[in-house]
Amino acid sequence: MRHQLLDWILISVATISIVWSAYKIREWIHNVCCSPVSYMIVTGKRHYTTDIDINQLIVKLGVLGTFITQDVNIIQKQIESLPWIQQVSVRKQWPDTLKVHITEYIPLAYWNDLQTISTTGIIFRVPKEYRDNDKKVIPSLYGPEGSERVVLANYYVLNEILKSIKFQIKSVQMDTRCSWQLVLQDNIHLKLGRNNIIGRLYYFIKIYPILIQKINDHNTCIDYIDLRYRSGCAVRWGSHSITPVLCSK
């Protein structure tokens, strides 16, 4: 009889302990799940986006929900509203953290002075205060509306050719007549015209040693080089005199 009573007491204690533990676990889970999202981890290579930008966007949403109730798609769309953002991934991390991974467009150049163009030809706007501190976007590209892919493609080709004589392009411009003009890093303007612009650029590379000799001999500089001639080119020097340079193409 005593053994039966002892067994009953042990079973009762064990049952009460299990029920109490289950209640406490349920209560803890409920409290955690009902707690607001409190922390955010931001990853990804960021060229423009600051923590302040993200915080301001989150604040506009009002009070965040709990780990269970918060819709991450809303946060994702809010961050994607920044024009330089290519893609955003937002996911939850137990128990109260959001993990945000940002992919930005990679800036290559300024487009028509007002916008920025990415390495893949996407046009996007960046506030002036961000651009003022931008040290990576060096060249400027210009062209009619809708011509950004053409201008970008030619920039890549022309820039690669000029690397052979260690020149860098400062700007590339295509006008509405599809006529091309380059400005090099020392402010030499190259007028390439509409046709055979690659051949004309190679011609510039061919005659450049001749021009360098004249620059050194006369302590002058080049204003522009007009390469739109069938035979030779015209050079305008810093003194504003124009000299024809004849050299077989």
Side-chain angles (χ1 to χ4, degrees), residues 4 18 24 32 39 42 57 67 81 103 131 166 205 232 244:
Q4 291 179 344
I18 292 171
K24 283 298 183 181
V32 170
Y39 301 98
V42 182
L57 290 171
F67 184 85
S81 66
T103 303
R131 289 180 50 173
K166 297 181 179 180
I205 293 175

Side-chain angles (χ1 to χ4, degrees), residues 214 220-224 234-244:
K214 183 174 178 62
T220 185
C221 62
I222 298 173
D223 185 8
Y224 71 76
V235 180
R236 179 168 177 168
W237 303 95
S239 60
H240 302 305
S241 62
I242 298 178
T243 305

